[in-house]
Amino acid sequence: MTALDELVRLLGPSPASRKPSADDWTEIEAYIASALPTDFKTFLDTYGTGVICDELVVFHPRGAGPLLERMRQIHERFGGSRRRNPDFHPFPFHPEPGGLISWGYDYSGDEHFFWPCARDPDHWKIVTHSHGTEPEVFDGPFTAFVLDFVGQLRNLDPHHGLEPDELEFLEPEDLAELAERGETGPVEPSFKPI
């Protein structure tokens, strides 16, 4: 079973009723002067723009908040920041040669990029740029990264998100209510279109 098959099994059928078109990706791939990873395009053609596990936001070229517009904004902002403080940003950003290519973000404030470190986009790595820390590099592909991301959220401690001193004052029914609202603990796999 591929990582994409496993993601579809976990997230369930796509809530989007869309007919993908090869033309959806033409403008973006012209902008980055390369094809994008196949599994990335297949996932987004299947699910569209949305939020995975109420945390990881991904964009389709034809979704609400189109991918190309966001890519340009992120590349400009991060590229400008790198020009002002190159020591803080060890990777260049598109359109610099070998520059990171934006594809999404998470609600924790991390930006996620493709690192075009190989000729074949299906062998690109993923770079997560966390604010204030060194970027993390993950071996690709996209779907394996997302599967790992979902797995980490599924395996959170039941009291994740609470400070130890807060636990002291919460009753069991309060903890249950926080978990029910999704404010603590493990997260169930989901995809919500935007």
Side-chain angles (χ1 to χ4, degrees):
M1 180 180 292
T2 68
L4 180 59
D5 294 333
E6 181 66 12
L7 269 178
V8 170
R9 186 187 71 73
L10 286 171
L11 300 177
S14 168
S17 59
R18 49 184 332 280
K19 298 279 188 238
S21 165
D23 292 341
D24 288 350
W25 299 97
T26 304
E27 194 175 5
I28 288 175
E29 292 180 334
Y31 166 68
I32 65 168
S34 173
L36 284 161
T38 305
D39 67 330
F40 173 73
K41 294 191 302 186
T42 301
F43 180 86
L44 286 163
D45 281 342
T46 302
Y47 284 90
T49 296
V51 184
I52 300 166
C53 294
D54 294 321
E55 180 67 20
L56 181 62
V57 182
V58 294
F59 298 87
H60 187 275
R62 303 284 184 236
L67 179 59
L68 181 57
E69 181 180 318
R70 185 168 197 293
M71 276 182 169
R72 286 182 171 141
Q73 291 170 355
I74 295 300
H75 296 160
E76 176 72 25
R77 187 172 77 206
F78 276 77
S81 180
R82 183 171 195 261
R83 286 186 291 280
R84 289 186 301 280
N85 190 359
D87 293 337
F88 186 71
H89 300 284
F91 292 94
F93 297 92
H94 185 79
E96 287 185 56
L100 300 180
I101 299 166
S102 173
W103 60 259
Y105 70 94
D106 62 53
Y107 290 139
S108 297
D110 301 336
E111 290 287 339
H112 302 284
F113 299 88
F114 289 116
W115 178 18
C117 55
R119 278 193 109 104
D120 182 351
D122 292 336
H123 293 97
W124 289 356
K125 296 184 181 203
I126 305 293
V127 174
T128 294
H129 202 292
S130 302
H131 298 286
T133 63
E134 288 288 316
E136 291 183 67
V137 178
F138 301 88
D139 288 332
F142 167 80
T143 49
F145 171 82
V146 173
L147 196 55
D148 183 64
F149 192 95
V150 170
Q152 288 179 34
L153 292 173
R154 290 179 78 193
N155 293 319
L156 289 175
D157 178 273
H159 300 131
H160 177 80
L162 295 173
E163 297 297 323
D165 58 335
E166 292 175 310
L167 285 173
E168 186 178 331
F169 298 103
L170 291 171
E171 298 293 329
E173 54 273 4
D174 297 327
L175 291 171
E177 183 181 329
L178 289 169
E180 190 175 303
R181 291 194 319 235
E183 294 180 30
T184 64
V187 175
E188 285 302 312
S190 64
F191 183 89
K192 294 179 183 162
I194 317 179

